[in-house]
Amino acid sequence: MKKLFAIIMAVVLAMCLGSAALAAEKPVVGLVMKSLANEFFKTMEEGARKFAADDGTFELIPVGMNSETDIDTQISAMENFITQKVNLIVLAPADSVGLVPSVKKAVDAGILVVNFDVTLDKQALADSGLPQDFLFVGPDNEEGSYLVGKFLGDKLGKDASVIIIEGNPGADNAKQRKAGFDKAVAECGLNLLASNTAHWETEEANTVMTNLLTRFPDVKGVMCANDSMALGVVRAIEAAGKSGQIEVVGFDNIGACQELIKEGKMLATVDQFGPEMAANAIKVGFRILNGESIAGWEKTPVEVVSKENLK
């Protein structure tokens, strides 16, 4: 089914690209995102489309994945964008190593690629002949997860038992968020019971947390590497009859988690301003196309969101 989905997406993408190329002399921007089943990336796409419509100077072709682990669709999208010779590709890689060959191929074809949201792996970049300071536009994931982890630790107090639900191990932002959480655990003197991946997925997080609650009934806090997983964790806590007994924090500030924060079912999350993220990457790309020399990290903000500052 994954392969069939990738083939269908490739055909649709090729048709869209063909029509875009014929449409005008406007530059064409290919936007490659992660799973559109994740509310964070839906709002990101909406923000990018609005920016493109308001700007009016370029054609935008957004592509998302079927699930967080389906990198075949991203690779197919990159191949099609290269074939059609788009002017700019902005990429949020699902796998920080697995997408590097596609980036290399695009760069060799003379196409500007802007990496955003999730950093490409530095060693994989170097091994492919690309610079380790390859342009990245995005937040400090480690800092954001440290801040929300510290917020949780301050709420729970020293020696409280916590669990970390990690993202996809192949993505650098998952590693960075894990590192930030670990730093907060150590600094706050928390007792880390388990650190398990749920690959960014709600249902997997629900299953993982259900099992962990059986093993660790006295857990007091859970740090989730994204809000989609936090949704599954909250459901598991409710099903176990432990609502109000376990504090949950996440990362992304999606609407569904804002509601949970208002209801007291989540403590906090991290806002990385998803609706503007792809648009920011596109803006940086056009600055380069217009002659600026930019490399390294163009940092975007992060902010802890709790009931006290929820807008």
Side-chain angles (χ1 to χ4, degrees):
M1 288 298 293
K2 273 186 172 181
K3 289 184 178 178
L4 178 60
F5 179 80
I7 291 168
I8 292 170
M9 286 298 297
V11 172
V12 172
L13 181 59
M15 292 171 64
C16 291
L17 281 165
S19 62
L22 292 171
E25 295 178 359
K26 293 179 181 179
V28 178
V29 176
L31 169 60
V32 183
M33 294 170 291
K34 293 166 67 182
S35 174
L36 295 180
N38 183 333
E39 185 182 335
F40 177 73
F41 288 98
K42 284 191 218 171
T43 59
M44 178 188 289
E45 180 183 17
E46 290 165 5
R49 286 187 183 277
K50 183 179 185 305
F51 169 62
D54 291 345
D55 184 88
T57 63
F58 65 94
E59 298 289 337
L60 176 69
I61 304 172
V63 180
M65 300 158 60
N66 189 37
S67 72
E68 293 286 1
T69 56
D70 172 27
I71 71 168
D72 290 343
T73 299
Q74 286 199 324
I75 291 171
S76 294
M78 292 291 291
E79 290 292 330
N80 278 287
F81 286 141
I82 293 165
T83 299
Q84 297 297 326
K85 297 184 170 71
V86 300
N87 302 89
L88 170 64
I89 297 173
V90 288
L91 167 68
D95 188 292
S96 296
V97 174
L99 268 293
V100 169
S102 297
V103 172
K104 171 66 171 169
K105 188 172 181 180
V107 170
D108 288 347
I111 299 171
L112 175 63
V113 179
V114 175
N115 172 210
F116 79 106
D117 182 45
V118 182
T119 52
L120 292 164
D121 184 81
K122 291 187 182 299
Q123 189 57 55
L125 287 167
D127 291 345
S128 72
L130 292 169
Q132 287 193 331
D133 66 344
F134 193 89
L135 176 62
F136 173 68
V137 179
D140 188 332
N141 284 282
E142 183 171 339
E143 176 68 8
S145 63
Y146 163 74
L147 291 173
V148 80
K150 182 75 163 52
F151 192 86
L152 175 66
D154 290 343
K155 172 74 174 180
L156 295 177
K158 189 176 180 181
D159 295 325
S161 295
V162 297
I163 287 169
I164 296 173
I165 305 297
E166 303 175 42
N168 186 352
D172 273 10
N173 64 337
K175 298 172 188 175
Q176 291 154 5
R177 292 178 193 179
K178 170 69 162 57
F181 286 152
D182 285 340
K183 180 181 175 184
V185 166
E187 188 172 305
C188 296
L190 301 176
N191 176 29
L192 181 61
L193 300 174
S195 185
N196 293 34
T197 183
H199 299 95
W200 305 122
E201 300 283 0
T202 300
E203 294 307 321
E204 185 175 350
N206 179 259
T207 301
V208 168
M209 190 62 200
T210 298
N211 293 333
L212 288 171
L213 282 170
T214 302
R215 288 176 56 201
F216 305 111
D218 295 328
V219 62
K220 298 302 180 187
V222 186
M223 295 188 277
C224 303
N226 79 346
D227 278 353
S228 287
M229 296 189 298
L231 296 177
V233 165
V234 169
R235 276 179 23 214
I237 291 170
E238 289 177 328
K242 291 180 175 289
S243 292
Q245 300 174 41
I246 302 171
E247 300 287 1
V248 179
V249 296
F251 201 115
D252 281 344
N253 194 32
I254 64 174
C257 284
Q258 291 175 8
E259 292 305 312
L260 292 178
I261 291 171
K262 290 176 186 176
E263 294 168 8
K265 295 178 180 179
M266 273 185 69
L267 178 65
T269 184
V270 175
D271 193 354
Q272 56 175 330
F273 305 95
E276 295 86 31
M277 191 178 290
N280 287 335
I282 294 168
K283 290 174 185 176
V284 171
F286 275 112
R287 284 165 56 195
I288 296 171
L289 290 174
N290 289 329
E292 280 193 56
S293 178
I294 306 172
W297 187 0
E298 287 278 307
K299 192 178 288 191
T300 57
V302 291
E303 178 181 78
V304 173
V305 175
S306 65
K307 191 177 286 188
E308 288 70 28
N309 66 340
L310 189 60
K311 297 168 185 173

